Amino acid sequence: YTAERYEESLEWANRTQLEKPDYLPAWRIRAACLGLLGRIEEGNAAVSRLLALSNKETQTSTRMYYSVSIKKASAVDALVAGLGRAGLPLD
């Protein structure tokens, strides 16, 4: 994901979800990749599932969470932007 290979990251998120269907990071990455790839309808569905699993998810909470573990600021910015395009609420 941080290498900006969103199609490949989406494939890995899909693989992860086959083994762990409720794994939140995979849903975040999936939704963000879909948003960044312009696949908005699919991204909306991924965000809906993410919110069903964790109803307090927002762009702001995601930024705070990943700013600690992802040191590449542009990757965090892209993640949040992709989630926003996919329909994740700001706050």
Side-chain angles (χ1 to χ4, degrees):
Y1 185 85
T2 59
E4 300 177 23
R5 295 193 304 249
Y6 303 124
E7 288 283 354
E8 187 177 333
S9 296
L10 181 57
E11 289 175 27
W12 280 104
N14 291 339
R15 289 179 191 178
T16 300
Q17 289 171 324
L18 289 174
E19 292 190 29
K20 293 184 174 194
D22 294 340
Y23 187 57
L24 292 174
W27 283 105
R28 289 182 195 115
I29 294 295
R30 177 181 175 76
C33 287
L34 290 166
L36 291 169
L37 293 168
R39 295 164 57 180
I40 304 305
E41 191 171 312
E42 292 173 88
N44 289 162
V47 165
S48 291
R49 180 65 180 143
L50 175 62
L51 290 173
L53 293 169
S54 178
N55 66 357
K56 296 189 191 261
E57 296 278 328
T58 65
Q59 292 176 48
T60 301
S61 68
T62 301
R63 179 178 297 283
M64 289 180 4
Y65 179 81
Y66 282 103
S67 291
V68 172
S69 59
I70 299 176
K71 300 303 179 198
K72 186 176 177 183
S74 62
V76 176
D77 292 343
L79 178 71
V80 173
L83 287 167
R85 290 179 194 165
L88 188 68
L90 181 59
D91 290 314

